[in-house]
Amino acid sequence: MTDSEGKNLSVFPIGKPNNAYAQYFDGQSYLSPLSTEQVGIFTVTFEPGCRNHWHIHHSKSGGGQILIVTAGRGYYQEWGKEARELKPGDVVNIPANVKHWHGAAKDSWFQHLAVEVSGEGTSNEWCEAVSPEEYEKLS
C-alpha cells in the first residue's frame, strides 16, 4: 500500500487477498496474520471503497475485538449510531455482541490491526451488507 509518490503508508504487510471472507465484503480486502499465539492479531487492508458487512462478535463472556488503525482513512459504525471516521492511531474497542461494520473511505486505502479478544463461547455472525445509500453519504 503506497501513496501517489510510491511511499509505503504502513509498516505492516498488506497480506494476501481475503478470499475466504470475500462474500462478507463489498470490494477487495487483504488479510495477513501477525500473531496466532496467545492473542490473534491480523492486519486487514481495504482498497478504497471496500467495507465489510454488518457483523457481530458473539461471546457468552469476554470476547469482542479491538481495531488499531495503521494507515489510510476509514469508518466504523455500530448499529443505530452514526459512523465514526478513523485515521492512523485511532483505536476502536468493540464489545462482544454489538452489530457493526468497518472499512475504507471511498477515496482512500485503509488498514487496521484486528485484535481478537478472548472469550467463552465466541462466534462470528455475518449479517447484511452496508446499504450503498448509507455508505455514499459518508465523505
Side-chain angles (χ1 to χ4, degrees), residues 14-19 28-33:
I14 290 176
K16 296 180 180 176
N18 190 8
N19 295 332
Q28 181 64 58
S29 68
Y30 302 85
L31 186 64
S32 179

Side-chain angles (χ1 to χ4, degrees), residues 23-100:
Q23 65 191 19
Y24 306 118
F25 285 75
D26 290 320
Q28 181 64 58
S29 68
Y30 302 85
L31 186 64
S32 179
L34 297 179
S35 174
T36 55
E37 297 178 23
Q38 295 177 305
V39 175
I41 303 174
F42 301 85
T43 301
V44 185
T45 305
F46 303 77
E47 289 184 344
C50 177
R51 65 246 181 225
N52 54 31
H53 293 185
W54 289 98
H55 60 286
I56 304 166
H57 303 281
H58 291 289
S59 182
K60 292 179 182 173
S61 68
Q65 188 178 53
I66 301 168
L67 306 179
I68 303 168
V69 181
T70 56
R73 187 170 71 89
Y75 294 97
Y76 167 79
Q77 184 177 14
E78 291 182 3
W79 189 259
K81 296 183 179 180
E82 294 294 318
R84 171 182 161 193
E85 184 177 24
L86 299 176
K87 295 182 178 176
D90 287 342
V91 176
V92 180
N93 289 283
I94 306 168
N97 307 310
V98 171
K99 189 174 182 179
H100 66 283

Side-chain angles (χ1 to χ4, degrees), residues 94-114:
I94 306 168
N97 307 310
V98 171
K99 189 174 182 179
H100 66 283
W101 71 270
H102 35 101
K106 293 178 271 191
D107 61 352
S108 177
W109 283 81
F110 178 63
Q111 184 183 72
H112 62 61
L113 301 181

